[in-house]
Amino acid sequence: MRALWTSASGMKAQQLNVDTISNNLANVNTTSYKRQKVEFKDLLYANMKKTDLADGIGRPVNLQVGHGVMPVGTSRIFMTGNLEHTENPLDVAIEGEGFFAVETPTGEFLYTRDGNFKFSVDMDEMRLVTSDGYTILSDFEDEIIIQQGLQNINISEMGIITAENEDGEIEEIATIKLTKFLNPEGLEAVGKNLYKATVASGDEIPMEGENRNSTLRQGYLETSNVQVVDEMVRLISAQRAYEISSKAIQTADDMMSMANNLKR
């Protein structure tokens, strides 16, 4: 009986859907988190009767029975979240598309929209890093170093970092690197608000000069783009679909039980 396996595929699909929605809700307060959604496709069809229409005579429609559903991917919605004012000069939000480029201790290049930056102090120097200590890269792919004695650090809309020295003069330190991808949905999430480039996302495209169409906001952080009400509605819909599939399995079981008891 196809209904058993078809309904089972529906329950598995909706379980994955609930898992994804749950992860979205869990990250409702995660800085720069981008919500995910599951994409589904129907499975193969059994052709019991095909069309045989010829010269306007014959069967005009097929007789087909499907075999259920399967998840084919989880797409990430890179819609910009709201900007939250923090008054922290090391908090930077990207207004528009793009990612910050970071380098891990192993030399791997990753990307993030989380602008909750920190200083890592080494002797008389301060290095701009993420909350996990990963290096924030400049447009020359170098470390961003703040020398001792510099104060009143300012980050412009174009990502230019300046500071005031002991003589009261303004020094330009570096420019924060911004990059984008042809297909950001192809990025692989590796946790800690970080993404890794893949073949599907394409190579990074540095956003420089006229190509830099996004701005940075110092003292702001981008919030999650998860809408709790929308996710709750999706959660209820997924739960109901799961219940309906389980009901179909129970109905198929009752029908098989009736057929089994015909001889009694």
Side-chain angles (χ1 to χ4, degrees):
M1 182 171 284
R2 296 186 183 91
L4 286 172
W5 305 105
T6 300
S7 301
S9 71
M11 293 181 70
K12 289 181 180 179
Q14 294 306 323
Q15 177 63 60
L16 178 61
N17 197 16
V18 170
D19 292 341
T20 303
I21 296 171
S22 299
N23 185 59
N24 288 338
L25 290 172
N27 286 279
V28 69
N29 290 322
T30 301
T31 303
S32 73
Y33 176 80
K34 305 303 177 187
R35 75 175 184 87
Q36 289 180 290
K37 67 174 183 178
V38 184
E39 298 175 351
F40 301 100
K41 284 188 177 180
D42 52 354
L43 294 176
L44 295 175
Y45 285 81
N47 289 312
M48 304 177 70
K49 288 185 179 180
K50 292 187 176 182
T51 60
D52 56 1
L53 189 64
D55 298 328
I57 300 174
R59 177 183 293 274
V61 293
N62 292 316
L63 178 59
Q64 295 179 304
V65 179
H67 285 79
V69 63
M70 66 176 294
V72 295
T74 52
S75 60
R76 194 173 293 271
I77 311 301
F78 279 95
M79 182 181 65
T80 303
N82 296 325
L83 300 186
E84 179 183 4
H85 188 44
T86 64
E87 298 184 357
N88 184 349
L90 293 183
D91 287 343
V92 184
I94 301 176
E95 191 172 25
E97 63 179 348
F99 298 85
F100 299 112
V102 303
E103 184 178 5
T104 67
T106 60
E108 184 180 16
F109 292 98
L110 299 175
Y111 307 90
T112 183
R113 287 184 63 91
D114 184 358
N116 189 10
F117 299 151
K118 310 293 181 186
F119 277 141
S120 178
V121 179
D122 182 15
M123 303 298 289
D124 59 345
E125 296 180 343
M126 296 185 298
R127 181 167 52 93
L128 196 63
V129 298
T130 67
S131 299
D132 295 298
Y134 297 163
T135 301
I136 304 298
L137 297 178
S138 69
D139 54 355
F140 293 108
E141 296 190 353
D142 295 327
E143 297 179 344
I144 299 176
I145 302 296
I146 311 295
Q147 300 293 337
Q148 186 178 17
L150 296 178
Q151 56 185 355
N152 297 330
I153 297 172
N154 180 70
I155 302 175
S156 71
E157 293 184 352
M158 299 304 294
I160 301 173
I161 303 176
T162 58
E164 183 179 337
N165 61 24
E166 296 176 350
D167 297 329
E169 298 175 345
I170 302 299
E171 292 186 10
E172 183 175 329
I173 299 170
T175 300
I176 298 177
K177 179 180 180 180
L178 275 187
T179 186
K180 64 180 180 180
F181 296 87
L182 289 176
N183 179 31
E185 290 187 6
L187 292 170
E188 177 185 350
V190 296
K192 299 181 180 180
N193 293 349
L194 297 170
Y195 302 95
K196 182 167 63 175
T198 64
V199 176
S201 67
D203 295 330
E204 65 169 54
I205 303 174
M207 300 174 66
E208 301 173 347
E210 296 180 355
N211 194 32
R212 198 181 183 104
N213 54 4
S214 298
T215 57
L216 301 185
R217 299 296 182 188
Q218 185 180 18
Y220 289 83
L221 283 178
E222 181 187 1
T223 62
S224 169
N225 66 357
V226 175
Q227 299 295 326
V228 176
V229 175
D230 293 341
E231 295 301 316
M232 290 300 297
V233 171
R234 294 186 183 95
L235 184 61
I236 293 172
S237 177
Q239 180 186 8
R240 295 301 181 222
Y242 188 90
E243 290 178 356
I244 292 172
S245 293
S246 66
K247 182 64 176 178
I249 289 180
Q250 182 180 355
T251 301
D253 179 59
D254 291 342
M255 293 172 64
M256 294 175 68
S257 178
M258 293 177 187
N260 188 50
N261 294 328
L262 284 177
K263 291 185 178 180
R264 293 184 182 181

